[in-house]
């Protein structure tokens, strides 16, 4: 009962329901799916109360589940051979329990169950499947949280508006799994719609659907898994967030989103590291607004310049890029792509490349050749299509 993530295209809810019946000796009461996401632009702006522009992927996480009334959550994952993890729904932070590394993934569904218990949900039996490549920076953890959240709410008859549910899933990742993320990933998984990107104000929680259908404009958006895996629960992500909070405090603003006079702010900061962090966040927010404007104007091909500027800022000002990402973007541009940038928290994962569809094969070949010349593991590619948000499938 094992299927590695990314081993097939699409998840079969009927097959997952059958696997659930085999694993738990009873039929599931439903199957729920939540997508991974790609953030078109707006990196490390979410926890600075800023703007982001993500969209949902066809790939994601599906959860088959049935209700339990004994206050216990039991979870299995097809990506880990069906190993059973059982925990009480009542409890403190999962991260503090010191789970073995082969069961660390369970912190996400168990953490969601513990947060939602305050809102009337309870125990459940859950079987998890995914076709998101692990470690690629496509937000598999948020997809797992959101699929679990939908399942628990439906199983226990609890109604929570989706923006609020996204914040609860974010809280589960912050408090239960120990990852200090902002609200973007969970919001994207729950709120995105097909053929659109989600312009999200991470301070107010207000969002707008912005048309984004690359194929209709003769464009392809490639997601390139650089095969340099990453983990965001390490120190670098938290350090960047702390640097932003320190800079905001020195500048006398609630968050870097509130910096209006960039030149003045940079001039008042003595620490060159903090100046670089501020410059990235402030300019990245402006790039999100510009990108949304281009999409509304029906000019998605012009996004390339925004993507390139974002990558350079993430590389030089926020200092979170990595060699495989830089090489992929450089090779893609040399092959005629419109633009590209790293995505996600940094230090590994994926890049996105915007190219005319007829140039896509040449761009793929150029990136693969660049990797081969350096002796790196060949990258993986998928075509990123703006897709529906989380929903019940069975």
């Amino acid at each position: 009962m094992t299927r590695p993530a990314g081993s097939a295209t699409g998840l079969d809810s009927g097959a997952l329901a059958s696997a659930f019946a085999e694993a738990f000796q009873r039929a599931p009461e439903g199957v729920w799916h939540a997508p991974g996401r790609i953030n078109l632009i707006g990196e490390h702006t979410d926890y600075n109360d800023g703007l982001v522009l993500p969209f949902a992927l066809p790939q994601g996480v599906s959860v088959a589940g049935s209700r339990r009334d004994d206050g216990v959550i039991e979870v299995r994952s097809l990506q880990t051979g069906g190993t059973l993890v059982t925990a009480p729904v009542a409890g403190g932070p999962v991260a503090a329990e010191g789970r073995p590394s082969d069961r660390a993934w369970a912190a996400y569904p168990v953490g969601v169950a513990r947060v939602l218990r305050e809102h009337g949900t309870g125990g459940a039996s859950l079987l998890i499947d995914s076709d998101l490549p692990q470690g690629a920076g496509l937000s598999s953890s948020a997809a797992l949280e959101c699929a679990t959240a939908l399942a628990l709410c439906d199983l226990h008859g609890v109604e929570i508006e989706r923006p609020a549910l996204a914040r609860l899933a974010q809280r589960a990742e912050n408090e239960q799994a120990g990852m200090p993320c902002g609200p973007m990933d969970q919001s994207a998984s729950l709120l995105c719609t097909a053929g659109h990107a989600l312009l999200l104000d991470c301070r107010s929680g207000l969002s707008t659907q912005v048309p984004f259908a690359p194929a209709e404009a003769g464009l392809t958006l490639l997601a390139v898994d650089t095969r340099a895996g990453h983990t965001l629960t390490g120190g670098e992500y938290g350090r960047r967030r702390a640097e932003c909070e320190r800079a905001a405090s020195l500048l006398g603003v609630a968050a870097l989103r509130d910096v209006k006079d960039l030149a003045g702010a940079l001039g008042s900061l003595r620490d060159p590291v903090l100046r670089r962090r501020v410059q990235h966040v402030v300019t990245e927010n402006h790039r999100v607004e510009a990108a949304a404007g281009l999409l509304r104007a029906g000019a998605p091909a012009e996004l390339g310049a925004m993507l390139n500027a974002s990558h350079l800022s993430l590389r030089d000002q926020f200092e979170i890029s990595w060699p495989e990402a830089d090489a992929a973007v450089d090779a893609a541009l040399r092959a005629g792509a419109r633009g590209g940038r790293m995505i996600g928290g940094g230090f590994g994962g994926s890049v996105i490349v915007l190219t005319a569809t007829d140039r896509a094969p040449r761009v793929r070949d150029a990136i693969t050749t660049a990797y081969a010349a350096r002796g790196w593991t060949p990258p993986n590619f998928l075509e990123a299509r703006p897709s529906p948000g989380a929903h019940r499938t069975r």
Side-chain angles (χ1 to χ4, degrees), residues 294-331:
L294 288 171
L295 293 181
R296 289 183 176 123
E302 304 308 314
L303 287 172
M306 295 295 102
L307 301 182
N308 294 336
S310 177
H311 183 75
L312 292 176
S313 183
L314 289 161
R315 186 191 71 184
D316 300 336
Q317 306 301 328
F318 223 65
E319 299 174 286
I320 60 170
S321 190
W322 62 101
E324 292 88 343
D326 297 336
V329 171
D330 181 67

Side-chain angles (χ1 to χ4, degrees), residues 7-8 20 102 117 122 131 166 175 185 195 229 245 324 336-337 352 383:
S7 65
F20 181 96
D102 63 342
R117 175 175 174 267
D131 61 352
E175 298 177 2
D185 294 349
E245 291 170 351
E324 292 88 343
I352 54 172
E383 182 178 339

